[in-house]
Amino acid sequence: MKKHITEQTVIFFSVSKWLILSSTTGIMIGFLMSIFIKTLHAAQDARGFLPFAFYFTLPFALMLTVWIVRTFEKNATGHGTEKVIEAIHKQDGYINVKVVPIKLIATVLTIFSGGSVGKEGPGAQIGAGAASFVATLLKFSKQDRKKLVICGISAGFASVFGTPIAGAIFGIEVLIIGVIMYDVLLPSFIAGFAAFTTAQFFGIEYAYYDINFYRSFHLDLTLISQVIVAGIFFGMVSDAFITTVNQIETWIRSIPYNRYLKAFVAGLIMIAVSLLVSEKYLGLGLTTITNCLDPKALLSENVHWYDFILKTLFTSITLGAGGSGGVITPIFYVGATSGVAFGHFIGDHIALFAALGFVSVLAGTTNAPIASIIMAVELFGVHMANYAALSVVIAFLITGHRSVFQSQKIALKKADNITIGEGSDIQHTPISINMKDIDKVRNLPSRLRYKRFIWEAKKSEKAEDDPV
């Protein structure tokens, strides 16, 4: 009895400690996110004062972004979340506080000029950087600093997404594939909710989508089969997005020219494509996402079947050339537009498939299926849970052991015939495949021919033995 009371007392003080720490951290990050989001909105509004199209500034903005990041804080490069995951796994959560202002400036500059990036990665990196600074200043232990930084990720995602539960889960699910860190679950929830409510208090508004007409809970085998096929399709889209982002970034780095020249040329390429096709692939692309989720969405002058392909290319070029910003908002764009294309191919439920693509491609590219399902409920309503769960998990499995975040660790094999070795991250983790079952499938035609031959031989023998 005494041991039980002692255990409860220790747990009570631990819960109280993290209640105070995580709520304080969440409020701080919610305030920082308010500044970041309002600055971003002001920058976008300022485009109207230019005497020319805003995206003509893109080549110069990319060059300036590269210079700012290289001069003041190299960890502010890329889409942000990647560096945070790396810091947690390899540096016990330590992040230089300089990343907070540098990431904010670099991201605002990139998005203002039309760079195809998002705001959630910088939100996570700014939140994690602020949390790391507080933990280091107060001389927390390495373990407590890691927990507080994870709270910072969750708070950053929650206050940018406008989905406090999904944001909190995403912050802890995205670190290790197949593992949710339950010891950080409560602090992450508290930090995410505190950041979300603080951002709302300071006037930040969020977009939620009404597709409530999909309230079908009865067994609809046709729709269920379509959702299964959609999940496979979204898994393939996710795999293509990961491959394109990684390969283009590697290719641009390998070009033997000055990095500033490469950034300038990348900007010129995106300007040329925008003039020839459309400028909607630049920036956040929130208008296109909203059009996709409209119940009356059709392939038209607003949404085209190839939108997700061009958005993938624009995002890859922006990040590969040195632009700074998140990758999740482009993933939402790619998922929603690919969903519209799939819905149009099927011939029905276009907004439903756009919503499923929105969360399924997120799960496939980031290996965060639980957060994606919860996000579907928070953004689209509880009636989406059945369809979203099916599509999201299939896309998550189809993508395989890959991720847009190369610093993720693997603790889950997605098929029985796969063996996962030990490694520091996805890139350096050996994966072996047992080909026994695959060989059985390959040899199935010859095995069937052999069995047919035996059956016919036995039939012939029986015919010979029968009396005339």
Side-chain angles (χ1 to χ4, degrees):
M1 185 66 181
K2 184 178 179 180
K3 180 181 178 182
H4 177 64
I5 293 174
T6 303
E7 181 185 26
Q8 284 189 317
T9 303
V10 171
I11 291 174
F12 173 77
F13 280 110
S14 177
V15 170
S16 300
K17 166 188 170 181
W18 284 104
L19 177 64
I20 296 170
L21 288 176
S22 57
S23 58
T24 304
T25 301
I27 292 170
M28 174 187 67
I29 292 171
F31 174 69
L32 289 175
M33 289 301 100
S34 302
I35 296 173
F36 169 59
I37 295 173
K38 287 187 175 182
T39 304
L40 189 58
H41 289 168
Q44 290 177 298
D45 292 340
R47 291 171 175 172
F49 294 103
L50 294 174
F52 46 80
F54 69 92
Y55 51 85
F56 286 132
T57 64
L58 189 52
F60 307 98
L62 287 177
M63 292 176 64
L64 183 56
T65 300
V66 171
W67 178 80
I68 290 172
V69 170
R70 284 184 55 80
T71 304
F72 298 103
E73 179 53 48
K74 292 183 179 180
N75 283 326
T77 189
H79 45 80
T81 310
E82 172 73 16
K83 292 296 182 181
V84 176
I85 297 173
E86 182 180 339
I88 290 172
H89 290 322
K90 299 179 181 180
Q91 301 170 29
D92 296 310
Y94 175 76
I95 300 172
N96 194 323
V97 71
K98 288 195 301 182
V99 80
V100 174
I102 299 305
K103 191 66 180 179
L104 189 152
I105 294 169
T107 300
V108 170
L109 184 60
T110 302
I111 294 177
F112 164 80
S113 62
S116 178
V117 290
K119 55 187 177 181
E120 74 304 314
Q125 192 169 18
I126 291 170
S132 176
F133 172 73
V134 171
T136 304
L137 186 67
L138 298 179
K139 298 183 179 180
F140 283 11
S141 66
K142 292 181 179 180
Q143 187 62 28
D144 281 354
R145 181 172 64 194
K146 284 179 68 173
K147 289 180 70 171
L148 199 65
V149 168
I150 294 171
C151 289
I153 299 174
S154 297
F157 277 125
S159 54
V160 172
F161 285 153
T163 53
I165 300 177
I169 292 291
F170 191 87
I172 57 178
E173 189 181 16
V174 77
L175 301 175
I176 305 174
I177 301 173
V179 171
I180 290 181
M181 304 170 71
Y182 288 100
D183 58 326
V184 201
L185 192 58
L186 177 63
S188 292
F189 275 136
I190 295 170
F193 184 72
F196 171 70
T197 52
T198 301
Q200 283 189 313
F201 175 79
F202 284 104
I204 302 302
E205 297 180 353
Y206 300 99
Y208 301 97
Y209 306 94
D210 182 15
I211 53 174
N212 283 321
F213 54 89
Y214 291 110
R215 268 186 202 282
S216 175
F217 292 102
H218 63 278
L219 184 62
D220 186 340
L221 293 178
T222 301
L223 181 57
I224 290 173
S225 62
Q226 290 173 347
V227 171
I228 291 172
V229 176
I232 297 171
F233 172 69
F234 294 137
M236 296 169 64
V237 171
S238 302
D239 187 72
F241 184 89
I242 295 169
T243 300
T244 306
V245 169
N246 292 336
Q247 290 296 325
I248 287 184
E249 183 175 1
T250 302
W251 176 69
I252 290 177
R253 285 181 180 177
S254 67
I255 297 175
Y257 288 100
N258 182 281
R259 67 184 77 249
Y260 298 106
L261 178 60
K262 289 189 287 187
F264 187 83
V265 172
L268 290 179
I269 292 172
M270 287 188 281
I271 289 175
V273 176
S274 298
L275 290 172
L276 291 172
V277 184
S278 173
E279 63 183 60
K280 66 180 179 180
Y281 310 111
L282 299 166
L284 296 172
L286 298 179
T287 301
T288 300
I289 294 174
T290 301
N291 290 336
C292 291
L293 295 168
D294 187 324
K296 299 178 181 178
L298 296 171
L299 287 180
S300 64
E301 59 183 14
N302 294 324
V303 184
H304 300 86
W305 67 266
Y306 51 81
D307 284 348
F308 70 98
I309 299 174
L310 288 178
K311 185 64 174 180
T312 299
L313 290 173
F314 269 60
T315 303
S316 303
I317 294 171
T318 301
L319 293 172
S324 179
V327 74
I328 302 296
T329 305
I331 287 172
F332 289 158
Y333 186 113
V334 168
T337 51
S338 63
V340 171
F342 181 85
H344 187 268
F345 177 77
I346 293 296
D348 200 3
H349 305 302
I350 293 176
L352 171 63
F353 287 113
L356 291 178
F358 187 102
V359 293
S360 298
V361 176
L362 173 66
T365 52
T366 65
N367 292 293
I370 297 176
S372 300
I373 295 169
I374 295 173
M375 180 174 288
V377 173
E378 289 189 292
L379 288 178
F380 308 121
V382 68
H383 53 282
M384 281 292 296
N386 301 314
Y387 308 121
L390 190 59
S391 178
V392 159
V393 174
I394 292 174
F396 161 71
L397 295 173
I398 289 294
T399 308
H401 302 86
R402 310 182 68 219
S403 175
V404 75
F405 303 133
Q406 296 297 306
S407 295
Q408 280 182 325
K409 289 187 175 182
I410 305 178
L412 167 75
K413 58 180 184 179
K414 296 188 179 181
D416 293 335
N417 295 332
I418 293 176
T419 302
I420 304 296
E422 293 185 2
S424 57
D425 51 41
I426 282 182
Q427 283 183 306
H428 302 98
T429 299
I431 297 174
S432 58
I433 302 173
N434 186 339
M435 301 294 291
K436 184 177 179 181
D437 289 341
I438 296 177
D439 290 338
K440 286 182 180 180
V441 175
R442 288 176 177 172
N443 297 329
L444 184 60
S446 59
R447 290 168 62 195
L448 291 174
R449 285 195 298 268
Y450 176 74
K451 287 186 176 182
R452 183 179 179 182
F453 172 77
I454 296 298
W455 177 77
E456 290 178 346
K458 288 182 178 180
K459 183 179 178 181
S460 178
E461 289 178 4
K462 185 177 179 181
E464 291 176 358
D465 291 340
D466 287 341
V468 178

